[in-house]
Amino acid sequence: MTNISKTLVTTPKALPPSDKLGFGQYFTDHMFVAKYAEGKGWYDAQILPYGPLEIDPGASVLHYGQALFEGMKAFRQADGKVVFFRPEFNYNRLVEGAERICLEAPPMELFMQGLHELVAADERWIPHEPNTSLYIRPTLIGTEAFLGVRPSRETTFMILLSPVGAYYAEGTKPVKIWTEEKYLRAAPGGLGAVKAGANYAASLKAALEAKKKGYAQVLWLDVEHLGIEEVGTMNAFFVFNNEIVTPELNGSILSGGTRDAIIQVLKKKNLPIVERRITITEVIERLDKGELKEAFGTGTAAVISPIGVIHYNEKDWTINNCENGPLSTELYKEITSIQKGALKDDFGWIVPLTV
Ligand code: COI
């Protein structure tokens, strides 16, 4: 056990109304911060009041984008118990991402101890209502100050907490998505498979343009502008009459925790889930023939969001009359029931808060 020093707030903030949480608008009273320096190891682990970090203007994160994050959630179950959903999955992905962008990942014990102690300190922030949770944002940044291009020898690890409701303004209703035919989010050999801040920077312009045209999200294609990759904040699933398809992890798609959970649930139900390359032309052709029954996205923030409209090649293609489909409705209920404790967790995903 690391010694985590604690400085708690003297005046806790007022809690936001739980029916107006939206996504990522509020931060809790505290944050967890720990530092690493080459030759020194991890030091200065602390829980302290949420607030600005002191950072050198020469820090590598500010110049060369050495930033990586995770998205995970804690839930309050009906009996008041607090649980995490798959924290080891997120830890392991953070380790893989850190290796790719040359940052130091914290040891598992430090990550878990910081997580549990921080959530315990801010437990009152975890909302009770259905469709709410505490979103958790573990983040790694390169903090060494230098201007030559090389990996930072210093890393800061922090965990932020934010009580959240639905990610989209549409709530759990189908969203409209824009197939991006000009910009790219990622390319083979790049950073697309890890949760680097840079991937999101690359996505902002297309997302802004799509939003202006009335679309909630962008459907990203591969370098040929053909193969479907992901929706940026979600992995994509297409429900055809004879198979359920999600793009295979080809090295530029993020390996989502909810994606993996949904694949496991579908396999347990003996439904024909296939991970393979799928092109936008196949989706549109099969939609046109009436073979595409539903489409949905999966993500920690978005949970399971039905896709009601895909814009492609100057046309809006409507799926399932832009209504919630039976499979995405069932999967949403199943995953959220496991998270909230209403359904037994047969998968080993739920980890109780312990301090
Ligand atoms: C998540 O689902 O955790 C994400 O990271 C998506 C987005 C909010 C960045």
Side-chain angles (χ1 to χ4, degrees):
M1 289 268 278
T2 306
N3 181 31
I4 298 179
S5 78
K6 283 199 185 74
T7 312
L8 301 181
V9 292
T10 44
T11 321
K13 298 177 206 169
L15 295 181
S18 52
D19 58 336
K20 302 217 165 45
L21 291 174
F23 183 84
Q25 305 185 75
Y26 301 97
F27 292 97
T28 63
D29 288 318
H30 302 97
M31 61 186 184
F32 172 77
V33 180
K35 293 182 180 163
Y36 170 87
E38 229 173 78
K40 184 169 177 182
W42 286 92
Y43 65 100
D44 234 0
Q46 32 176 335
I47 287 173
L48 67 169
Y50 182 90
L53 288 178
E54 193 168 293
I55 188 165
D56 193 294
S60 85
V61 64
L62 301 177
H63 301 267
Y64 305 128
Q66 272 191 291
L68 183 79
F69 69 91
E70 271 304 321
M72 50 191 284
K73 278 179 173 171
F75 297 86
R76 189 177 304 275
Q77 300 194 324
D79 59 2
K81 209 164 92 186
V82 173
V83 300
F84 297 100
F85 187 68
R86 312 193 73 186
E88 276 201 30
F89 182 97
N90 294 91
Y91 175 74
N92 291 332
R93 195 171 61 180
L94 185 81
V95 170
E96 283 167 28
E99 199 276 328
R100 176 65 183 85
I101 68 162
C102 302
L103 285 175
E104 184 74 17
M108 167 110 88
E109 310 82 71
L110 179 63
F111 178 98
M112 294 299 172
Q113 196 187 334
L115 175 71
H116 283 257
E117 291 195 19
L118 177 66
V119 171
D122 278 343
E123 199 188 317
R124 73 185 185 99
W125 284 84
I126 308 172
H128 288 78
E129 291 66 20
N131 307 321
T132 62
S133 58
L134 185 72
Y135 185 78
I136 302 169
R137 178 51 69 86
T139 307
L140 280 179
I141 54 175
T143 34
E144 189 190 355
F146 65 97
L147 295 178
V149 180
R150 59 159 176 80
S152 172
R153 294 181 188 129
E154 292 168 20
T155 299
T156 295
F157 172 54
M158 57 201 167
I159 306 178
L160 317 178
L161 305 176
S162 174
V164 298
Y167 184 73
Y168 294 115
E170 291 83 345
T172 50
K173 294 272 160 244
V175 290
K176 289 171 67 178
I177 59 175
W178 171 269
T179 308
E180 182 50 54
E181 294 176 73
K182 182 168 71 171
Y183 303 113
L184 283 176
R185 167 190 171 273
L191 298 178
V194 302
K195 229 165 160 49
N199 290 327
Y200 297 82
S203 76
L204 295 174
K205 189 163 166 61
L208 189 68
E209 291 179 10
K211 193 147 252 159
K212 279 191 197 144
K213 294 177 196 125
Y215 299 86
Q217 276 288 320
V218 168
L219 178 65
W220 292 101
L221 301 177
D222 63 10
V223 278
E224 294 174 70
H225 281 115
L226 201 56
I228 291 180
E229 299 244 300
E230 58 168 79
V231 191
T233 54
M234 311 193 284
N235 293 110
F237 284 73
F238 301 92
V239 184
F240 298 107
N241 42 2
N242 60 346
E243 58 175 350
I244 304 164
V245 181
T246 190
E248 66 193 342
L249 301 177
N250 62 356
S252 56
I253 295 175
L254 191 78
S255 161
T258 313
R259 173 189 183 277
D260 177 77
I262 289 300
I263 291 172
Q264 290 191 48
V265 169
L266 291 171
K267 284 189 175 159
K268 190 154 178 260
K269 289 177 187 289
N270 282 323
L271 289 170
I273 171 70
V274 184
E275 294 173 69
R276 65 166 170 86
R277 180 168 197 260
I278 179 162
T279 61
I280 184 67
T281 43
E282 176 184 344
V283 168
I284 298 299
E285 270 164 35
R286 295 183 76 178
L287 201 173
D288 207 23
K289 282 197 246 165
E291 290 175 16
L292 179 65
K293 302 301 174 193
E294 290 179 50
F296 58 88
T298 61
T300 298
V303 195
I304 292 166
S305 290
I307 297 169
V309 171
I310 297 181
H311 182 96
Y312 178 63
N313 203 5
E314 298 179 6
K315 188 170 164 192
D316 272 355
W317 296 86
T318 301
I319 304 165
N320 191 38
N321 291 323
C322 203
E323 285 163 15
N324 292 54
L327 184 63
S328 62
T329 305
E330 183 185 328
L331 292 170
Y332 179 89
K333 188 144 190 278
E334 193 146 337
I335 290 286
T336 53
S337 299
I338 292 173
Q339 292 168 332
K340 291 276 191 176
L343 197 63
K344 194 165 146 277
D345 167 27
D346 291 329
F347 299 92
W349 292 335
I350 297 297
V351 175
L353 170 68
T354 43
V355 270

